[in-house]
Amino acid sequence: MDKILEGLVSSSHPLSLKRVIVRKVVESAEHWLDEAQCEAMFDLTTRLILEGQDHFQRQVGHQVLEAYARYHRPEFESFFNKTFVLGLLQQGYHSLDRKDVAILDYIHNGLKLIMSCPSVLDLFSLLQVEVLRMVCERPEPQLCARLSDLLTDFVQCIPKGKLSITFCQQLVRTIGHFQCQSTQEKELREYVSQVTKVSNLLQNIWKAEPSTLLPSLQEIFASISSTDASFEPSVALASLVQHIPLQMITVLIRSLTTDPNVKDASMTQALCRMIDWLSWPLAQHVDTWVIALLKGLAAVQKFTILIDVTLLKIELVFNRLWFPLVRPGALAVLSHTLLSFQHSPEAFHLIVPHVVNLVHSLRSDGLPSSTAFLVQLTELIHCMMYHYSGFPDLYEPILEAVKDFPKPSEEKIKLILSQSAWTSQSNALASCLSRLSGKSETGKTGLINLGNTCYMNSVIQALFMATDFRRQVLSLNLNGCNSLMKKLQHLFAFLAHTQREAYAPRIFFEASRPPWFTPRSQQDCSEYLRFLLDRLHEEEKVLKAQASRPLPESLGCTEPSLQPVAAQAAALTQAPYTSDGEKTLIETMFGGKLRTHICCLNCRSTSQKVEAFTDLSLAFCPSSSVDNLSFQDPASSPSTQDGGPTGACASGPAEEPGAYGPVTAAFVCDSALSERMAGSAPDGFCCAANTSVPSESSKNFVNKDVPQKLGGEATPSVTDLLNYFLAPEILTGDNQYYCESCASLQNAEKTMQITEEPEYLILTLLRFSYDQKYHVRRKILDNVSLPLVLELPVKRTTSFSSLSESWSVDVDFTDISENLAKKLKPSGTEEERCPRRVPYLLSSVVVHSGVSSESGHYYSYARSVTGAEPSNQLCRRPEARAVAPSQSHLLESPSAVTGQGLENEEVSKEWFLFNDSRVTFTSFQSVQKITSRFPKDTAYVLLYRKQNGTDALRGDNSSSGLWVNGDPPLQKELMDAITKDNILYLQEQELNARARALQAASASCSFRPNGFDDNDPPGSCGPTGGGGGGGFNTVSRLVF
């Protein structure tokens, strides 16, 4: 029968005839044959299967073999024995190589035919050894896929015990050597199918024998982390990722990132190759593992690896967005990589040139999936342009391309960025390692205390959170000049963009410290603020005056050429913040005008005077009983400064505008007063100091041993203090007015009106009084209610339009130190025209913690408020208004304001607590309750932002969309400095992390008990509170 079959398949008869005869041969298998005939038939069919010249011959071989093996099983079992199978696997078959897939297919079918025979067990034992040998020989993908088919059907052939671990490791190595040379879709699909079969086999083995999983994963990492330049592991390894249980992510990533044996070069290679896996189609969870490894590296501060990998692979990841199969995973990795790379725009700018083409291409295909993808991509792009504003030439085409897609809100962008940074808590791998120092979850940067410099830190944070002022400072073109404004711009830029948790403002501190301030000693934040604003104002005036002629080197310009200096001065003059070319930035943002009117009650002659101010100092209202208060005759005390006020009288009926400086209503709190009284202040400094520190005559003496509550039982509000400041008063007794018309001292009526309101209203609450008995300055600890909305009465006038607008420093001005002696005029001016009420929103509060001016601590509450807030915050509440002098009635207690305000969602939105290096979220409720909870912590300096301000303050660029994040773009010099420092910071963090890892075994940690801080005020460093008690009060006298 074998001769007939052999002659038939090689004959030239028609194929249909051959099929009929083959059918007859198959049917004859039921008949009895001797062993020799059976063996001859098995030899022939094996030869047809393995060496058949065409498909028909191979098909005939399979059909006949299966039929005769079924009916002559013992004979086939004798034929298909261990020796025969071993010969096929090790030597091949005649001219057929042993690695030919046909041999493996033949053995696979043979096992199926003798599955019920006892000899199959011997074959299983043989194959367990042979398949391991085959895998070690690194078979091609096709042969490996056929082997996987065989082992999937016959799991008994898979090596057992320790050999199973070896087999899995070798199979991983084999996959790592897979390559596909073809670029044709058919061949690529076949290649992917083959790799999938092999990875599925490994998955089955891992499930059956879990002990093989970890060694396999170690082998995967060994392959992808290899630094051998002659070997590039296959991307096919990506097919294994989807089979690794996601529950193992945390353990595996922790093991990898903390293993001291894993070198940085190996980790970099591994991460790069994992990112390459994003190109593998159908692979699941690759993006999850890549992001997990990125987070793990960030958690252990290995920033060098992250920077290198990001810059090397960011464009490759972006290019994967063109392919729909891998687009979701690629977008996830791209988003995490870009959002976490916040120290420099370099990575984002690598993909910027390719964004527009991708957007146009995906918009043109019109697919719903493409549209949904573009929405996500647009959100990512907006976040990056917000974070790295200042490149309009790069971003304008992108903004045009994505203009039809929704733009995320600024709040959402800030949240995304704060959660994505390498140093963010939310970006750390869960339960991986404790996060090292990095920017807080608020996204704000603290200021390091350089040694009792909290007075500066609290003021700088308040000014930084004054959004419109910050934007104008950052928009100035100050290249080539070393002015104080340049240093403030540098400080603001770092606060906005540094990756550090807290920044050390050493350069700015040395440049802005008043000369009479002793370094590392307690100082007054209000005095520092006045000095700072005055310096900035005077400096800009000089630069403007010198814009058209060479500037002397003493002005601080570092360039040898005078052209850049002149250009810089011209830039200041033409800066977008000013609508009046004569005004400086400080005048524009903080400057206001106050008119003082004195009327002699004898002859009715009047004297008027206009003063410029940058802050109003509000005294506390005296109680109905003032027996314990005594006031010196203002004319009897000498001035503490040359050229200062010498009396209480106005000097004439038509005086010049007042000197530049704040309008002080009573004794001003500053810790350096005693030093200046001793002559330590420079004699020539009379601009800010003269107006900030009145003479001895202005002191209010409190003959009590302890700080007193001067305002009665009801809690006063800022509105009450402002009303008291603006209320009419009668100058009588020791405080009489010298009338030139009467040529004698006369009783007089004094009124003050605000004639020009500032953009930012600074209010200082005068909390420090002089104890005459003990000759120390006591603190008034009265709680003051802070209205969220304040309406300032402004009475504009044209009668003084001809007066000079300059902020001169050589003008004598009326002594305005009698606020504590004011008596409200009983009647007579109700018929006057009511002033216009200008609404202000509370922007920041500087708090002093302590019981005296000799010790304590400053911290600040602040939020971002612009000149055009939502109208729901500007609802008119009578309790929040300040009354004009012409109104005889007083407003009700502001206690209702607090209650109403707490119900408003906007009240508690986006408030921050700045306490030196630490920045945390807080609420307006906390601001209002601070003194009631911690009696030594009291509001001291307040910043209010005027609403419905002019658009000119915000400039043109913000409306055009080029100021992407609301802040102006940083100049290249500033951006380069920030980028350089951010890289330095990341390197410092990495070195610290490595040092901690080396010491982890022996290091011990002690923690403060949970909740300990909750019992202390925010301004404290321990149980004694704000430094006013305990050892800080009389021993060290420090501001910490």
Side-chain angles (χ1 to χ4, degrees):
M1 186 63 69
D2 59 298
K3 298 298 182 182
I4 297 174
L5 183 61
E6 183 178 6
L8 176 65
V9 297
S10 60
S11 69
S12 59
H13 294 298
L15 189 60
S16 57
L17 178 60
K18 291 181 180 182
R19 292 185 184 280
V20 173
I21 298 174
V22 168
R23 192 178 303 115
K24 296 295 182 179
V25 172
V26 171
E27 291 174 354
S28 67
E30 299 178 7
H31 303 147
W32 179 87
L33 292 175
D34 59 27
E35 186 176 349
Q37 289 178 319
C38 287
E39 184 175 353
M41 185 60 75
F42 293 146
D43 278 336
L44 174 61
T45 53
T46 298
R47 188 168 68 251
L48 290 176
I49 292 172
L50 297 178
E51 296 184 322
Q53 297 177 359
D54 53 35
H55 176 70
F56 175 73
Q57 290 185 5
R58 293 191 291 273
Q59 184 183 29
V60 168
H62 279 293
Q63 291 178 353
V64 175
L65 178 63
E66 289 178 9
Y68 277 80
R70 185 182 307 115
Y71 290 103
H72 306 278
R73 192 168 301 258
E75 289 79 9
F76 183 72
E77 185 179 3
S78 176
F79 173 80
F80 196 74
N81 56 37
K82 287 179 59 175
T83 304
F84 177 68
V85 173
L86 184 61
L88 290 176
L89 292 173
Q90 292 188 354
Q91 300 173 11
Y93 184 82
H94 298 166
S95 62
L96 200 64
D97 187 77
R98 62 187 176 90
K99 294 183 178 181
D100 197 294
V101 294
I103 291 180
L104 213 53
D105 289 341
Y106 176 80
I107 295 175
H108 191 175
N109 289 330
L111 290 174
K112 292 178 181 179
L113 294 175
I114 64 167
M115 186 60 189
S116 59
C117 300
S119 63
V120 74
L121 298 178
D122 295 333
L123 293 177
F124 288 161
S125 299
L126 171 68
L127 289 173
Q128 287 178 6
V129 177
E130 286 301 305
V131 296
L132 179 57
R133 178 191 59 80
M134 292 178 64
V135 170
C136 291
E137 293 177 350
R138 307 290 176 256
E140 293 296 321
Q142 185 183 22
L143 180 60
C144 203
R146 298 299 176 85
L147 178 62
S148 298
D149 289 337
L150 186 154
L151 296 178
T152 300
D153 289 342
F154 298 98
V155 294
Q156 301 90 335
C157 298
I158 298 175
K160 306 300 180 184
K162 293 183 178 180
L163 290 180
S164 64
I165 296 177
T166 304
F167 176 77
C168 290
Q169 291 176 321
Q170 293 298 327
L171 195 55
V172 168
R173 293 185 185 181
T174 298
I175 298 175
H177 284 78
F178 283 175
Q179 298 295 335
C180 181
Q181 306 298 333
S182 176
T183 58
Q184 299 299 317
E185 182 178 355
K186 181 179 179 180
E187 285 78 4
L188 290 173
R189 288 182 178 274
E190 180 64 26
Y191 174 68
V192 172
S193 175
Q194 293 164 357
V195 174
T196 302
K197 289 181 178 180
V198 180
S199 65
N200 288 339
L201 171 64
L202 269 173
Q203 179 192 22
N204 294 334
I205 298 175
W206 292 342
K207 287 182 178 180
E209 296 189 53
S211 61
T212 62
L213 177 56
L214 189 56
S216 299
L217 298 182
Q218 291 172 340
E219 192 62 42
I220 294 174
F221 185 77
S223 296
I224 64 176
S225 63
S226 173
T227 56
D228 183 2
S230 63
F231 170 69
E232 182 63 31
S234 172
V235 180
L237 286 170
S239 62
L240 299 177
V241 174
Q242 59 190 321
H243 303 310
I244 305 174
L246 292 177
Q247 308 92 288
M248 298 184 65
I249 284 184
T250 300
V251 175
L252 292 176
I253 298 301
R254 182 193 305 172
S255 176
L256 286 176
T257 55
T258 59
D259 188 349
N261 296 319
V262 178
K263 305 302 181 185
D264 286 358
S266 298
M267 183 62 74
T268 301
Q269 284 282 26
L271 185 53
C272 286
R273 285 163 177 161
M274 287 181 68
I275 292 175
D276 291 340
W277 291 354
L278 291 171
S279 62
W280 185 258
L282 306 181
Q284 301 175 4
H285 309 313
V286 172
D287 56 316
T288 303
W289 282 92
V290 170
I291 293 173
L293 185 54
L294 291 170
K295 288 185 175 183
L297 291 170
V300 295
Q301 313 291 291
K302 293 188 177 180
F303 299 120
T304 301
I305 298 176
L306 293 171
I307 293 173
D308 292 344
V309 171
T310 299
L311 296 179
L312 189 63
K313 292 295 182 179
I314 193 69
E315 289 180 281
L316 180 144
V317 175
F318 183 84
N319 289 335
R320 294 294 176 265
L321 299 179
W322 289 90
F323 306 102
L325 277 178
V326 298
R327 184 176 294 156
L331 179 61
V333 174
L334 180 72
S335 298
H336 177 84
T337 306
L338 286 179
L339 291 172
S340 61
F341 197 89
Q342 294 187 12
H343 66 281
S344 166
E346 186 177 359
F348 177 53
H349 288 177
L350 287 175
I351 70 164
V352 162
H354 313 297
V355 171
V356 174
N357 289 337
L358 177 65
V359 172
H360 289 329
S361 175
L362 294 178
R363 292 187 66 176
S364 62
D365 65 23
L367 297 177
S369 59
S370 298
T371 303
F373 164 75
L374 282 176
V375 171
Q376 299 177 57
L377 180 64
T378 300
E379 181 177 280
L380 171 64
I381 296 301
H382 276 298
C383 287
M384 300 313 300
M385 291 191 296
Y386 176 94
H387 189 63
Y388 292 116
S389 60
F391 302 91
D393 54 325
L394 295 178
Y395 298 162
E396 279 182 325
I398 297 178
L399 289 172
E400 179 65 25
V402 301
K403 64 181 180 181
D404 297 330
F405 295 97
K407 178 182 178 181
S409 65
E410 185 172 355
E411 291 75 16
K412 184 176 182 180
I413 291 176
K414 290 180 178 179
L415 179 63
I416 292 173
L417 289 171
S418 65
Q419 292 178 344
S420 302
W422 285 334
T423 52
S424 169
Q425 288 179 341
S426 58
N427 195 34
L429 200 61
S431 304
C432 183
L433 286 175
S434 59
R435 187 179 70 96
L436 301 181
S437 61
K439 217 163 190 179
S440 72
E441 67 226 5
T442 64
K444 301 297 181 183
T445 304
L447 287 171
I448 295 174
N449 194 315
L450 304 176
N452 302 324
T453 58
C454 59
Y455 67 90
M456 176 188 72
N457 291 348
S458 58
V459 165
I460 292 301
Q461 294 286 18
L463 292 178
F464 177 79
M465 292 299 289
T467 307
D468 293 314
F469 175 64
R470 179 185 72 246
R471 290 173 178 172
Q472 303 313 316
V473 171
L474 292 176
S475 68
L476 297 175
N477 181 10
L478 300 173
N479 287 335
C481 194
N482 195 29
S483 62
L484 182 60
M485 182 66 79
K486 173 66 175 179
K487 292 179 174 64
L488 181 64
Q489 183 187 61
H490 186 276
L491 178 56
F492 278 3
F494 269 77
L495 285 176
H497 297 284
T498 184
Q499 290 290 294
R500 297 181 183 273
E501 180 183 27
Y503 182 72
R506 292 184 178 86
I507 296 177
F508 186 80
F509 171 68
E510 293 300 329
S512 64
R513 177 175 59 85
W516 60 89
F517 274 21
T518 304
R520 308 188 68 83
S521 64
Q522 188 258 11
Q523 305 296 344
D524 180 77
C525 76
S526 177
E527 183 180 8
Y528 173 78
L529 175 59
R530 294 188 189 105
F531 176 80
L532 175 62
L533 296 181
D534 176 58
R535 276 280 309 277
L536 294 171
H537 163 74
E538 292 297 326
E539 180 183 77
E540 186 176 347
K541 280 176 53 179
V542 173
L543 289 173
K544 287 187 176 190
Q546 299 292 337
S548 58
R549 63 179 185 270
L551 296 179
E553 294 182 2
S554 60
L555 292 179
C557 294
T558 58
E559 295 291 334
S561 171
L562 296 180
Q563 292 181 353
V565 176
Q568 181 268 339
L572 282 171
T573 307
Q574 300 171 1
Y577 56 76
T578 176
S579 58
D580 182 352
E582 296 302 319
K583 281 191 174 184
T584 66
L585 174 59
I586 302 303
E587 285 179 293
T588 303
M589 303 306 286
F590 301 100
K593 296 290 178 63
L594 186 75
R595 182 180 66 185
T596 302
H597 181 277
I598 299 179
C599 177
C600 176
L601 296 182
N602 181 43
C603 67
R604 291 296 174 180
S605 63
T606 62
S607 172
Q608 299 187 79
K609 175 182 177 179
V610 174
E611 295 177 290
F613 68 89
T614 53
D615 80 314
L616 299 179
S617 296
L618 306 182
F620 282 77
C621 311
S623 60
S624 58
S625 174
V626 291
D627 295 336
N628 292 327
L629 295 178
S630 61
F631 304 92
Q632 286 188 341
D633 181 4
S636 65
S637 299
S639 171
T640 60
Q641 301 284 344
D642 293 338
T646 58
C649 303
S651 58
E655 299 192 6
E656 295 293 328
Y660 167 66
V663 175
T664 49
F667 186 82
V668 177
C669 165
D670 64 84
S671 60
L673 176 65
S674 58
E675 298 177 14
R676 289 199 298 277
M677 289 171 64
S680 60
D683 294 338
F685 185 82
C686 59
C687 179
N690 198 29
T691 57
S692 299
V693 185
S695 63
E696 286 289 319
S697 64
S698 64
K699 294 178 181 176
N700 50 309
F701 297 94
V702 182
N703 296 319
K704 304 225 175 182
D705 295 339
V706 293
Q708 296 299 309
K709 184 176 179 69
L710 301 179
E713 294 300 324
T715 300
S717 71
V718 172
T719 305
D720 295 331
L721 271 59
L722 190 58
N723 290 342
Y724 179 59
F725 176 79
L726 295 174
E729 66 172 305
I730 302 299
L731 305 180
T732 184
D734 291 340
N735 211 24
Q736 279 187 318
Y737 164 67
Y738 181 83
C739 177
E740 292 189 351
S741 299
C742 298
S744 62
L745 292 173
Q746 298 290 336
N747 293 342
E749 181 186 61
K750 178 181 176 181
T751 59
M752 290 192 296
Q753 294 175 330
I754 297 173
T755 60
E756 181 179 324
E757 74 279 7
E759 293 296 325
Y760 282 96
L761 175 64
I762 302 176
L763 301 176
T764 301
L765 309 185
L766 300 179
R767 290 193 170 273
F768 298 108
S769 59
Y770 187 73
D771 189 325
Q772 191 175 27
K773 179 178 179 180
Y774 293 100
H775 303 287
V776 295
R777 295 169 66 207
R778 300 283 189 181
K779 181 178 178 181
I780 301 173
L781 295 174
D782 292 18
N783 191 12
V784 176
S785 177
L786 308 178
L788 187 68
V789 181
L790 179 71
E791 292 189 342
L792 185 71
V794 178
K795 196 166 186 178
R796 299 188 181 278
T797 177
T798 57
S799 61
F800 295 95
S801 59
S802 61
L803 294 177
S804 171
E805 293 293 331
S806 64
W807 291 27
S808 59
V809 299
D810 56 354
V811 176
D812 184 23
F813 64 97
T814 305
D815 184 3
I816 50 175
S817 61
E818 304 87 357
N819 265 334
L820 290 181
K822 283 186 177 180
K823 302 179 181 64
L824 295 180
K825 184 177 65 176
S827 61
T829 58
E830 289 182 324
E831 69 278 3
E832 290 185 17
R833 179 176 59 88
C834 293
R836 184 171 68 91
R837 304 188 183 281
V838 179
Y840 282 80
L841 276 184
L842 183 61
S843 172
S844 58
V845 180
V846 178
V847 176
H848 177 264
S849 177
V851 296
S852 78
S853 62
E854 303 299 324
S855 61
H857 177 58
Y858 290 103
Y859 57 93
S860 56
Y861 293 93
R863 63 170 179 162
S864 179
V865 178
T866 61
E869 289 297 309
S871 59
N872 63 341
Q873 295 196 43
L874 299 178
C875 54
R876 294 204 165 214
R877 290 176 283 198
E879 297 85 358
R881 297 176 183 171
V883 184
S886 60
Q887 295 174 301
S888 60
H889 62 282
L890 289 176
L891 296 178
E892 299 176 359
S893 170
S895 58
V897 178
T898 304
Q900 295 177 10
L902 298 182
E903 298 174 359
N904 190 343
E905 292 182 2
E906 296 295 333
V907 169
S908 60
K909 181 181 179 183
E910 286 297 316
W911 279 90
F912 302 93
L913 171 58
F914 295 91
N915 196 341
D916 285 336
S917 299
R918 189 176 182 215
V919 186
T920 55
F921 285 116
T922 188
S923 64
F924 184 64
Q925 291 91 326
S926 298
V927 181
Q928 286 280 49
K929 295 179 180 179
I930 185 65
T931 304
S932 61
R933 292 183 62 199
F934 307 107
K936 292 180 291 185
D937 294 38
T938 54
Y940 184 34
V941 177
L942 312 176
L943 243 70
Y944 279 88
R945 177 64 173 101
K946 186 179 79 170
Q947 294 306 287
N948 302 319
T950 59
D951 293 337
L953 286 174
R954 287 180 288 279
D956 298 330
N957 290 334
S958 59
S959 59
S960 68
L962 299 184
W963 290 17
V964 181
N965 64 347
D967 281 356
L970 295 184
Q971 299 170 38
K972 185 178 184 300
E973 176 188 0
L974 273 178
M975 181 59 74
D976 290 346
I978 293 170
T979 299
K980 182 178 179 180
D981 183 73
N982 282 339
I983 294 175
L984 177 62
Y985 162 72
L986 294 176
Q987 292 171 346
E988 292 171 356
Q989 291 290 85
E990 184 170 354
L991 290 174
N992 291 337
R994 293 178 187 275
R996 284 189 177 94
L998 293 175
Q999 300 172 1
S1002 58
S1004 61
C1005 298
S1006 60
F1007 296 91
R1008 215 175 172 193
N1010 291 335
F1012 188 83
D1013 282 329
D1014 294 339
N1015 299 320
D1016 297 326
S1020 72
C1021 288
T1024 59
F1032 289 100
N1033 189 21
T1034 57
V1035 180
S1036 59
R1037 295 165 63 134
L1038 297 177
V1039 176
F1040 44 85

